[in-house]
Amino acid sequence: MTPKPLPFVVPKKPLPKKPPEQREKRKHRMTLVSALMGREGVVIFCDTQETVGGYSKKNVDKMTVWNDPDSPFRFAISGATDDATYLDMLERAISGTLLNMDTYSLADVEMALSNTLIEFYSKHIWPQAAKAPLTEFLIVIQPLPSGHPDVIHVSGTAITIPSLTHHFKNIGVGAYLADYLFSLLLAGGQTQAELAIVGAYVGKQVNENVDGCGPVERIVLLGDNGEYEELAADDIKGFEDNLYPIGEVIQTAFVAAANVASNFTNTVLKCPESELEYIAGELQDIRAANIKLWDSIQEKIRRVAEYRERSE
């Protein structure tokens, strides 16, 4: 017996919708990279925070030092970008170009880097709807066996040499605050020790006040006579701790400078001496602590050098 047709039409089940496309989680290195130029050489450092997908944060070493004994120069490179994938690709291309050079000339380096950048960007064309990532690099090139290091700034296909006209250069999202602080703290012509200590202080201020910038855990010092030294995280933390009272010293100095009363007394000051004696005493303590720490770092470097000589 043939069943009678139903008085209505059963609708077909809709096909399952295509699952939404998952956007790739981009890695951001908004970062701070700083190069400080002084009378003894150049100091370069960067923060260690990388942000993935806008919320996940992790520590990464963002600086590479290429130390080939057969090369005419040593160089350190670090970059800032809103897309770390392209930054890594471009950094490899730039490093490869520099490693293949068998002589050192600033003009030749500029020409070689310019060709590398033009070739790289001609191969990586972003769709019109997509924004090309902003990518910058700071490169410190140290001639060997001696010579004053040069600082090169790469932004897009543009190349500049800030070490010819300035005594510091910053890139990344932390650069705005770092520019302001270094303009207050550096007058030019500082020693390597002074630059490293100021770098530790400014790095901590940027870490605490700029979202997207992590702590500074590595500071590289490249000297005029081929010296290459690094401050480790413990050394940097030591300088940060030594400089912690500087905020209260500045506050006390400003209170004293801004008070125009002829019979000035301030019970807030911790010491019974005058405000100037208090400030001078605090600065002497900070300086003594920094001298002690710097001397201990130099002693470690000396012992390591002696050990290497004996090993050879």
Side-chain angles (χ1 to χ4, degrees):
M1 178 178 176
T2 305
K4 294 182 179 180
L6 295 173
F8 55 88
V9 177
V10 178
K12 293 182 179 179
K13 291 183 179 181
L15 294 173
K17 291 183 179 180
K18 185 179 178 181
E21 202 173 303
Q22 297 292 323
R23 265 175 54 184
E24 181 184 357
K25 294 179 180 178
R26 293 176 63 180
K27 297 185 293 182
H28 300 266
R29 291 189 186 175
M30 297 310 293
T31 204
L32 167 69
V33 185
S34 299
L36 313 178
M37 295 72 101
R39 68 172 182 262
E40 297 176 346
V42 174
V43 168
I44 181 171
F45 64 89
C46 59
D47 80 306
T48 55
Q49 180 174 296
E50 181 177 85
T51 304
V52 182
Y55 57 88
S56 177
K57 299 177 181 179
K58 65 177 182 178
N59 278 11
V60 295
D61 187 358
K62 303 178 185 178
M63 179 163 50
T64 303
V65 179
W66 291 94
N67 188 23
D68 183 357
D70 297 325
S71 174
F73 55 83
R74 177 187 292 121
F75 69 94
I77 180 170
S78 184
T81 185
D82 54 2
D83 190 339
T85 303
Y86 282 99
L87 180 137
D88 292 338
M89 293 171 62
L90 182 52
E91 182 176 326
R92 286 195 296 270
I94 291 174
S95 297
T97 296
L98 294 175
L99 289 170
N100 284 328
M101 299 187 70
D102 53 10
T103 60
Y104 179 67
S105 162
L106 192 55
D108 290 343
V109 168
E110 285 188 81
M111 180 63 69
L113 290 180
S114 179
N115 293 336
T116 299
L117 295 170
I118 292 172
E119 180 182 1
F120 179 87
Y121 282 107
S122 66
K123 292 180 179 178
H124 298 87
I125 302 174
W126 290 266
Q128 290 185 350
K131 181 182 177 183
L134 174 63
T135 303
E136 295 182 276
F137 289 94
L138 283 183
I139 309 167
V140 179
I141 299 183
Q142 179 190 37
L144 296 175
S146 65
H148 192 73
D150 292 303
V151 178
I152 298 175
H153 175 221
V154 175
S155 181
T157 57
I159 301 172
T160 58
I161 315 295
S163 55
L164 297 178
T165 54
H166 299 82
H167 51 272
F168 63 84
K169 178 64 182 179
N170 304 292
I171 62 172
V173 71
Y176 301 103
L177 178 56
D179 283 345
Y180 171 70
L181 292 174
F182 283 132
S183 67
L184 293 177
L185 300 173
L186 295 179
Q190 276 78 17
T191 65
Q192 294 289 79
E194 292 167 341
L195 293 178
I197 293 170
V198 171
Y201 175 76
V202 170
K204 183 172 179 59
Q205 297 303 310
V206 172
N207 173 33
E208 292 179 346
N209 294 283
V210 179
D211 186 32
C213 290
V216 173
E217 297 181 351
R218 184 183 179 198
I219 296 179
V220 172
L221 298 85
L222 300 173
D224 290 350
N225 296 313
E227 306 95 337
Y228 164 38
E229 301 173 2
E230 290 200 20
L231 300 188
D234 290 344
D235 301 325
I236 298 168
K237 180 66 164 56
F239 286 122
E240 292 175 352
D241 292 342
N242 292 346
L243 293 167
Y244 180 79
I246 203 73
E248 187 173 350
V249 171
I250 295 172
Q251 184 183 53
T252 303
F254 188 82
V255 169
N259 193 307
V260 296
S262 58
N263 58 343
F264 169 62
T265 58
N266 190 343
T267 57
V268 176
L269 294 177
K270 292 184 177 180
C271 59
E273 295 83 14
S274 70
E275 63 278 2
L276 294 179
E277 290 174 346
Y278 166 73
I279 294 168
E282 287 292 302
L283 291 177
Q284 287 174 358
D285 291 343
I286 294 171
R287 182 171 181 267
N290 284 335
I291 290 174
K292 182 179 180 180
L293 178 55
W294 183 257
D295 288 345
S296 70
I297 293 170
Q298 296 306 303
E299 178 63 20
K300 285 190 293 185
I301 293 172
R302 185 187 62 80
R303 289 200 302 266
V304 170
E306 289 180 350
Y307 174 78
R308 287 175 177 170
E309 288 180 2
R310 289 196 301 268
S311 301
E312 293 174 358

